[in-house]
Amino acid sequence: MLLPRIKEQLHTEPAQFVEQEIKELVRTSAANRLAFLDDYVMWAEPLVRFADGDDPIFSEYKTIIAPSHLTPREALAQAYGKSPAELPPSLSVVSWILPAVAETRKSNRAETRVPSRLWSHTRWYGEQFNNSLRQQMVTLLTGMGYVAVAPAAQPYFKTERNEKGPYSNWSERHIAYAAGHGTFSLSDGFITERGIAHRCGSIVTDLMLPASPRTAASPFSNCLFYVDGSCQACIARCPAGAITEHGHDKIKCQQYQRDIGYSPAALKGGYDNDTSVAGCGLCQTKVPCEDRIPAKIGKKKRG
Ligand code: B12
Ligand code: SF4
Ligand code: SF4
């Protein structure tokens, strides 16, 4: 049962309410802590932004990603067993960025072949927290009478493959781009004002939220390489040779994470989870974009 005070704030200041709620859950949730590691906190204070659920960019993703990529309206409609037209006239998307804490980034910086245990824990347990955050935000909003869904946690969420490698029908980075959180990069990672070492999540709802502006000069302008051809630090960091001047080879990256890098000898004591989801992220640490935007103003080289 929600307190009347909470209901009041949700109606009068919905954007502040949603942002505060996500920050509070990240700050206080036991799921953001590793009980077996002295309650180690995995995620620092999140970034929260919003997009208009009917922003035309979501339809563009059907060309940029694949026809199967869902618009927010389709994602909500599928979850409620309705047609997109039957939904309320306005929809909002809430997108958040969970920055890895400094200690985790530092530990991965020291690695050259496989991820540090802290990074790997953050990949595994940190995504479990991300999922609980998705679920708690949906429960909160539906409890208030709104419709809401976390597409990446729905049974219809899927990862498919094309000649370039895997892609999903709800790409959290493209949702974050729509909400103005930042841009893509040479390594494919998504560079926000808190850098590239993060995970992201989102929900769709009919709660009216003001769309955050997209201010980036291009979909790649936070990356130094696309500003002036410099940097390329991620190329040298990748143990799989998956990053070149031509971009990120998803097939090589995935293959490395699955088979090559994680021989028992490389595990340094092992990970807690299946090595196929141990992660890697060497290209997201010990690079100028690790925890900031290295290029504030982008000359448009691509996109
Ligand atoms: C499939 C997948 C993978 C695959 C493929 C990754 C990929 N590049 O798509 C593999 C197994 C290789 C992989 C690896 C990793 N992953 Co992964 N993965 C996913 C997953 C499940 C789906 C990604 C997806 O749908 N991609 C769609 C394709 C089309 O995207 P893309 O190829 O990158 O897109 C390019 C084009 O669209 C292009 N583009 C061209 N024209 C235009 C025009 C416009 C307007 C725009 C916007 C873009 C654009 O820009 C993009 C970049 O070049 C997501 C979770 C999710 N639901 O989103 C996590 C996710 C992408 N992974 C994540 C992470 C952290 C990792 C790893 C670091 C592993 C780890 N945890 O240690 C590595 C990093 C690899 C890398 N260098 O980016 C994070 C990324 C966060 C971040 N900081 O960027 C995500 C979002 C998970 C999460 N919930 O946070 N992953
Ligand atoms: S390391 Fe440099 S080139 Fe690579 S993504 Fe970051 S800013 Fe771009
Ligand atoms: S996640 Fe690892 S293998 Fe994949 S591109 Fe980054 S450094 Fe290379």
Side-chain angles (χ1 to χ4, degrees):
M1 205 45 189
L2 290 168
L3 296 171
R5 182 179 50 78
I6 295 179
K7 282 189 175 176
E8 173 68 17
Q9 200 202 352
L10 183 54
H11 290 307
T12 55
E13 301 172 312
Q16 290 90 326
F17 175 82
V18 168
E19 182 173 346
Q20 275 170 24
E21 200 60 29
I22 293 172
K23 287 186 172 169
E24 188 67 4
L25 285 167
V26 170
R27 204 173 58 78
T28 59
S29 172
N32 186 25
R33 288 158 197 271
L34 297 175
F36 60 89
L37 252 187
D38 293 334
D39 269 353
Y40 183 84
V41 174
M42 293 178 282
W43 302 119
E45 185 174 83
L47 303 171
V48 181
R49 294 174 72 93
F50 313 113
D52 177 341
D54 292 309
D55 188 318
I57 197 165
F58 293 114
S59 300
E60 287 171 34
Y61 289 160
K62 288 186 181 293
T63 312
I64 295 167
I65 303 172
S68 58
H69 199 270
L70 298 165
T71 65
R73 190 165 284 279
E74 289 168 343
L76 196 56
Q78 274 198 35
Y80 280 81
K82 294 189 170 175
S83 79
E86 284 177 284
L87 293 175
S90 299
L91 300 178
S92 308
V93 180
V94 182
S95 164
W96 59 81
I97 303 291
L98 301 172
V101 297
E103 187 68 20
T104 303
R105 290 187 276 106
K106 188 177 164 206
S107 70
N108 219 39
R109 264 182 239 152
E111 299 295 337
T112 55
R113 285 195 61 206
V114 295
S116 68
R117 280 175 68 79
L118 282 179
W119 184 275
S120 183
H121 288 331
T122 303
R123 158 68 185 90
W124 185 243
Y125 300 107
E127 183 56 21
Q128 285 176 10
F129 166 73
N130 199 10
N131 259 329
S132 77
L133 180 57
R134 290 178 176 107
Q135 198 46 59
Q136 288 189 68
M137 290 310 294
V138 167
T139 304
L140 176 73
L141 293 175
T142 50
M144 294 286 293
Y146 296 97
V147 288
V149 68
Q154 282 292 300
Y156 60 65
F157 174 77
K158 59 182 176 183
T159 303
E160 298 169 283
R161 295 188 79 81
N162 60 19
E163 69 292 347
K164 289 186 187 158
Y167 63 92
S168 71
N169 59 350
W170 187 259
S171 168
E172 297 285 19
R173 290 196 281 211
H174 288 80
I175 304 307
Y177 177 82
H181 271 299
T183 81
F184 291 86
S185 69
L186 181 62
S187 73
D188 260 1
F190 188 79
I191 306 177
T192 70
E193 67 182 64
R194 295 291 307 277
I196 201 168
H198 63 80
R199 293 186 75 81
C200 39
S202 61
I203 58 166
V204 183
T205 178
D206 65 340
L207 172 66
M208 286 287 284
L209 294 162
S212 313
R214 274 199 297 278
T215 54
S218 87
F220 299 90
S221 59
N222 285 350
C223 169
L224 290 172
F225 178 77
Y226 290 115
V227 173
D228 58 11
S230 70
C231 188
Q232 306 185 25
C234 50
I235 296 182
R237 277 291 279 160
C238 177
I243 308 171
T244 65
E245 284 191 353
H246 304 294
H248 174 236
D249 182 332
K250 295 196 265 187
I251 298 172
K252 267 193 186 169
C253 171
Q254 186 175 50
Q255 193 65 28
Y256 184 81
Q257 290 189 53
R258 280 189 173 156
D259 314 326
I260 306 164
Y262 305 152
S263 63
L267 293 184
K268 292 190 182 168
Y271 301 102
D272 281 16
N273 41 281
D274 187 321
T275 52
S276 67
V277 283
C280 174
L282 297 190
C283 57
Q284 304 194 336
T285 49
K286 210 177 175 187
V287 287
C289 56
E290 179 184 303
D291 63 348
R292 68 200 63 191
I293 298 172
K296 276 283 182 198
I297 305 158
K299 274 191 280 164
K300 213 165 155 185
K301 255 197 114 193
R302 176 182 171 182

